[in-house]
Amino acid sequence: MYGHRGVPSLASENTIASYETAAKIPGLKWIEIDVAITEDEQLIIIHDDYLDRTTSISGEISDTSYEIIKNASAGYWFDKKFSEEKVLTFSEFIDIANELKLNVNIELKGTTGKNGPKLFKSYVHQLTKLMDRFDSNIEILFSSFNIPLLKTIQEVMPEYPRAVLYEKCAFYEDWRTVLDFCDTKILHLEEIGLTENLVEIIKSEGYTLNVYTVNEKDRANQLFRWGVDGIFTDVAQHLVHLQN
Ligand code: G3P
Ligand code: MG
């Protein structure tokens, strides 16, 4: 089971508070995070392409410098008591993961917006440079919707496992070829509309299947009964005991 952005039902998503909350849940070993890049080439932990929803400032992340972002609150929007939370750099995050001893699914958000193409190389370079800072006992799983990025990561860091992410609406029949291209058998699929038949096909062909984002106990039980390997949840505090 993966705490999706930490435990975003109890603390502001993708912040220290969210990860510390995850670390306190007995049995929860994994969290998921989202990695983006700023205009001045700093890797940061944030989900959206824009700052507006989860910080006290607005703007497109790939068009805003970290010097500006670092002063924003990343928690006030969620609850006043989290107003001191900041947008973490990937480097700061690594220290926290090492301290909390949490395994990490690093979702590579990639490089969006008009600066995207020029930031791509830097995104890969920064990430590669920093990965060695994780403690060796921390398990890592990369994932991305962005196939060029995932393929590049496979080429430069083949030692880390990787998963291809799909939204239901984009889950075309060529998914096996896409996974093969990224040299992986791990699939992360959206929960909506997922059927027992599809789970059976995926599992019978030897793939690992993790499903996002599952917040209902009955649905989580059903998916585990069908044979999914893991789920991403916003409410790990309620579902952690259900995992395989
Ligand atoms: O990695 C699972 C899930 O986080 C993918 O979607 O939009 O929540 O990053 P999103
Ligand atoms: Mg994500």
Side-chain angles (χ1 to χ4, degrees):
M1 187 166 300
Y2 300 81
H4 184 230
R5 312 175 197 173
V7 193
S9 51
L10 296 177
S12 41
E13 66 181 54
N14 279 327
T15 64
I16 295 182
S18 192
Y19 307 139
E20 284 178 345
T21 305
K24 286 187 194 135
I25 296 178
L28 183 66
K29 296 191 170 66
W30 284 84
I31 53 167
E32 183 259 8
I33 66 164
D34 306 283
V35 178
I37 189 164
T38 63
E39 185 269 332
D40 52 347
E41 303 181 15
Q42 180 71 249
L43 291 183
I44 60 169
I45 314 298
I46 192 163
H47 175 270
D48 299 358
D49 294 338
Y50 285 78
L51 294 152
D52 302 47
R53 181 179 63 87
T54 59
T55 79
S56 53
I57 58 175
S58 46
E60 192 168 13
I61 291 152
S62 61
D63 201 24
T64 308
S65 79
Y66 175 67
E67 286 309 300
I68 293 171
I69 295 172
K70 75 178 185 193
N71 296 317
S73 168
Y76 185 83
W77 67 277
F78 184 80
D79 188 304
K80 221 164 50 192
K81 72 177 180 215
F82 298 114
S83 57
E84 295 305 312
E85 296 297 325
K86 298 291 179 205
V87 175
L88 294 168
T89 64
F90 185 56
S91 177
E92 290 168 339
F93 170 79
I94 293 172
D95 293 334
I96 288 151
N98 287 342
E99 188 188 314
L100 298 175
K101 301 185 189 342
L102 286 164
N103 300 325
V104 191
N105 171 209
I106 302 172
E107 186 189 337
L108 308 168
K109 280 295 171 197
T111 54
T112 55
K114 71 177 193 301
N115 291 330
K118 86 165 188 235
L119 290 170
F120 185 91
K121 269 196 186 139
S122 180
Y123 186 106
V124 173
H125 178 70
Q126 312 282 335
L127 194 73
T128 311
K129 215 173 59 182
L130 288 165
M131 287 306 294
D132 277 352
R133 293 199 42 243
F134 277 106
D135 283 349
S136 56
N137 52 348
I138 288 191
E139 288 182 60
I140 300 290
L141 171 62
F142 285 122
S143 64
S144 192
F145 291 103
N146 184 317
I147 302 305
L149 183 54
L150 209 52
K151 178 66 185 170
T152 307
I153 291 301
Q154 180 247 319
E155 285 167 352
V156 296
M157 293 185 276
E159 66 275 26
Y160 292 102
R162 67 208 77 83
V164 177
L165 265 162
Y166 274 103
E167 286 180 328
K168 182 71 173 68
C169 62
F171 191 62
Y172 302 123
E173 278 299 322
D174 64 355
W175 62 271
R176 296 171 184 85
T177 312
V178 176
L179 264 71
D180 190 59
F181 178 70
C182 295
D183 193 23
T184 185
K185 295 279 276 183
I186 310 174
L187 174 62
H188 288 183
L189 195 51
E190 190 177 16
E191 176 269 328
I192 295 165
L194 184 57
T195 61
E196 184 171 14
N197 184 44
L198 183 53
V199 172
E200 202 180 312
I201 290 169
I202 293 166
K203 288 305 300 171
S204 68
E205 293 181 26
Y207 293 92
T208 296
L209 174 61
N210 297 315
V211 178
Y212 69 95
T213 305
V214 184
N215 292 333
E216 299 300 326
K217 187 177 161 197
D218 288 352
R219 181 62 164 159
N221 271 326
Q222 182 183 56
L223 290 167
F224 283 131
R225 219 171 36 244
W226 289 351
V228 308
D229 296 280
I231 60 169
F232 295 87
T233 183
D234 297 328
V235 288
Q237 73 276 26
H238 299 317
L239 303 189
V240 69
H241 62 286
L242 303 177
Q243 66 196 328
N244 285 336

